[in-house]
Amino acid sequence: MELGAFSVSLSVKDIKKSKAFYEKLGFQTLGGDIAQNWLIMKNGSTVIGLFEGMFEKNILTFNPGWNQNAENLDSFTDIRDLQKQLKEQGVKVLTEADESSEGPASFTIEDPDGNPILVDQHR
């Protein structure tokens, strides 16, 4: 199962302080909008998202259709197919992608320890 680009989405208290901290660790801004309280930062192949006031917990995030530079892949498994495979394996889907739709969509699951996992397709 190919889930696409991986990142950790961090729920931060102060995005400006968090940005400055991660810059000290060598991260550079890849995308996002600090005025909207979210940034995507990268160091080598490691990608993190900083999100102020958007969700409670840190989230493991996968982006089908993207590589680690948020560039489109030529081929990938559509999010609805991934969701179907997981459901067939007995994974409980908390929020579902509309299986009759096409293009951008997302679904969420949790691991056995309650860690949220977002699968978020942007195209």
Side-chain angles (χ1 to χ4, degrees):
M1 179 176 293
E2 179 56 47
L3 297 173
F6 173 74
S7 63
V8 176
S9 299
L10 300 172
S11 177
V12 301
K13 295 176 184 172
D14 184 321
I15 196 160
K16 290 177 183 167
K17 285 182 182 177
S18 294
K19 177 182 184 280
F21 174 81
Y22 283 101
E23 285 174 338
K24 290 175 185 174
L25 296 178
F27 283 83
Q28 297 178 341
T29 300
L30 178 65
D33 186 342
I34 199 163
Q36 294 180 353
N37 292 327
W38 72 282
L39 290 174
I40 306 301
M41 300 187 77
K42 186 172 184 195
N43 179 339
S45 62
T46 303
V47 178
I48 60 172
L50 306 178
F51 298 87
E52 182 182 333
M54 295 188 182
F55 45 82
E56 251 181 74
K57 295 181 175 183
N58 297 332
I59 302 172
L60 303 175
T61 303
F62 296 94
N63 300 110
W66 276 3
N67 66 20
Q68 285 301 107
N69 293 317
E71 298 167 334
N72 290 340
L73 297 172
D74 290 335
S75 67
F76 65 97
T77 304
D78 186 81
I79 194 165
R80 285 149 284 268
D81 294 329
L82 294 171
Q83 177 178 275
K84 182 179 178 184
Q85 290 175 36
L86 290 169
K87 288 168 84 175
E88 287 172 353
Q89 294 180 54
V91 175
K92 181 180 177 184
V93 179
L94 302 176
T95 62
E96 295 190 24
D98 179 353
E99 293 183 9
S100 67
S101 67
E102 293 181 7
S106 65
F107 67 83
T108 57
I109 59 177
E110 284 183 342
D111 74 10
D113 297 300
N115 297 304
I117 300 171
L118 170 66
V119 182
D120 191 17
Q121 180 175 304
H122 293 279
R123 58 186 212 133

